[in-house]
Amino acid sequence: MSLPGPLDDATPPDAAPGRAASRSRPIGATAGARPAPGPDGAAVAERAPGSDPDGLEGRPSPVDGPARGSWSPPPVGPRASSSASARLRQRIDRLTKPLGALGRVEALMLQLGLLQGRVDPRLEAPQALVFAADHGLAARGVSAYPPEVTAQMVANFVAGGAAISVLARQHGLGLTVVDAGVRGTVPPGPADAAPTAVARLVRPVGPGTADASEGPAMSPAQCVQALELGRDCVRALPGNALVLGEMGIGNSSAAALLTARLTGAPLDDCIGRGTGLDDAGLARKRVLLARVAARHADARGPLEALAAFGGFEIAALAGALLQAAHERRLVVVDGFIVTAALLVAHALRPAVLDACVFAHRSDEAGHARALAHLGVEPLLALGLRLGEGSGAALAWPIVASAVALLNGMASFEGAGVSGPAGSEGGA
């Protein structure tokens, strides 16, 4: 049995407004514009005033709090109907295997086909996108590493020495690292380092967020700017699949606060060791985060909580997730911090989950709470807590294999293999 081509009642992926035209432009630039050089020579692209490639300005939005009336998440439309799902399920079931024998890989096949509106989905020019930023709260000792490690790791990403750099090379993922608000100067890489294909974009919302124990981590304007940064980055990237990651000393604290606030879980159940705090450090972190949560007790909605707790990279991830789902790009979600950003996106547009594959269950305490709230099951459980998108990159071959199997396996009819007893077309 062969069922090539688009599902008959699904909107093709490229129907998202503005998508095709935006891919050839620098991030945030209008057609023909060139990004201006930043202080360190890296490209800094400024969004044109009033630019709205998707035509979304002025639409009503359910957003809350600091961004009420000033930011609208992109629409995430309905996916294929039940008839399209049945058609795709039939194709999967006619492959030369017992029914359901590929387990959760078959669920991936179905998800990818429905996302793209095709019985033969494709993965084109997959991209790893990593946002980096600093957190004012890091000065309070919530991490085992000093704040300057954020900038140092950005340099390591670009030099090709970080885990995500290695995995992106191994799996053929384009890698873009976005400075969304790294405090201080990113050091140059080693003089003898081999050239890499990593793109570094400098688009800081500010020099790190403010200390959330003293006030909101972000102003309303900064929150919106970071969300739009994430959207702009996705608009400019080629391909139809993303691996998302992050870097920011202190960001497991922001993720814990967001997870507790948006899921209703006890804060203590969402706080973990992050970069490897010892018992005394973990105890200090618990006390401090309880004080931060109490200070921002009125920040209940997703954008209110996002502005209160930060950070710039988490807000950019939320914007990226929403834009990717709007464009019907597949997103492989990494660990705790990316999932915290997804909690924000999901609260604004629940259908964002249709585009998401969950890579792994992190060793961070709050990740299981976030996954349970979303009602999802990740592909892997390896005890990871590195971030960077490393877990998502490790899961990428499973996603790629699902597509290869769906498109490459023969049907019972095509291979001349007898199907299940009593089935139509069994030889």
Side-chain angles (χ1 to χ4, degrees):
M1 179 181 294
S2 177
L3 298 170
L7 294 167
D8 52 4
D9 51 1
T11 303
D14 285 336
R19 179 174 180 182
S22 68
R23 287 189 185 177
S24 62
R25 298 183 216 152
I27 289 174
T30 53
R34 290 188 177 182
D40 59 356
V44 182
E46 296 297 337
R47 186 173 181 182
S51 173
D52 184 37
D54 290 340
L56 300 172
E57 289 182 358
R59 292 195 182 187
S61 167
V63 299
D64 59 275
R68 186 184 297 278
S70 62
W71 188 76
S72 295
V76 179
R79 302 303 179 217
S81 68
S82 58
S83 63
S85 179
R87 241 187 118 200
L88 187 57
R89 181 76 261 177
Q90 183 184 35
R91 176 177 170 85
I92 294 168
D93 288 346
R94 296 308 301 159
L95 300 177
T96 48
K97 59 174 181 57
L99 288 174
L102 285 171
R104 292 182 59 203
V105 174
E106 295 189 24
L108 273 178
M109 294 175 180
L110 185 64
Q111 179 183 3
L112 294 170
L114 292 177
L115 179 67
Q116 296 185 8
R118 301 181 63 93
V119 294
D120 57 346
R122 297 288 186 265
L123 296 174
E124 301 170 352
Q127 303 292 313
L129 180 60
V130 179
F131 293 95
D134 276 304
H135 293 250
L137 200 61
R140 302 283 183 178
V142 294
S143 172
Y145 287 79
E148 55 265 29
V149 168
T150 303
Q152 293 165 357
M153 283 302 299
V154 169
N156 193 26
F157 294 149
V158 177
I164 186 58
S165 311
V166 173
L167 292 168
R169 287 198 301 272
Q170 179 186 6
H171 299 309
L173 304 171
L175 176 56
T176 301
V177 180
V178 183
D179 176 349
V182 176
R183 183 173 285 113
T185 303
V186 174
D192 59 349
T196 72
V198 180
R200 177 184 167 213
L201 299 170
V202 182
R203 292 284 305 277
V205 178
T209 55
D211 184 346
S213 69
E214 296 181 345
M218 292 183 277
S219 70
Q222 287 177 324
C223 186
V224 170
Q225 186 180 347
L227 287 160
E228 282 296 300
L229 169 60
R231 292 190 64 195
D232 285 350
C233 288
V234 171
R235 286 187 185 106
L237 286 175
N240 65 0
L242 289 174
V243 166
L244 289 180
E246 44 60 44
M247 177 64 211
I249 294 299
N251 65 9
S252 70
S253 293
L257 290 159
L258 279 168
T259 299
R261 186 60 50 88
L262 297 180
T263 67
L267 179 58
D268 268 1
D269 291 355
C270 300
I271 299 173
R273 296 183 184 274
T275 50
L277 287 171
D278 58 18
D279 289 345
L282 180 59
R284 288 193 303 271
K285 183 177 180 180
R286 291 186 187 281
V287 171
L288 176 63
L289 296 195
R291 192 164 77 241
V292 174
R295 182 181 185 92
H296 303 288
D298 292 336
R300 308 307 304 179
L303 293 184
E304 289 178 318
L306 181 60
F309 302 132
F312 296 142
E313 82 281 27
I314 295 175
L317 283 165
L321 283 157
L322 288 162
Q323 183 65 25
H326 169 65
E327 295 183 8
R328 300 181 74 161
R329 299 193 195 211
L330 172 71
V331 181
V332 186
V333 178
D334 193 43
F336 184 38
I337 285 80
V338 179
T339 306
L342 180 58
L343 289 174
V344 175
H346 176 260
L348 299 172
R349 295 283 191 252
V352 71
L353 289 186
D354 292 344
C356 295
V357 170
F358 292 81
H360 71 108
R361 178 178 286 103
S362 167
D363 204 36
E364 273 292 295
H367 197 208
R369 287 284 191 167
L371 294 171
H373 176 79
L374 295 168
V376 297
E377 186 67 26
L379 296 174
L380 304 170
L382 302 175
L384 303 174
R385 52 181 176 82
L386 175 59
E388 305 178 5
S390 55
L394 285 167
W396 174 256
I398 299 175
V399 176
S401 293
V403 172
L405 288 166
L406 178 58
N407 292 328
M409 286 180 69
S411 68
F412 284 107
E413 294 86 349
V417 174
S418 296
S423 67
E424 293 183 10

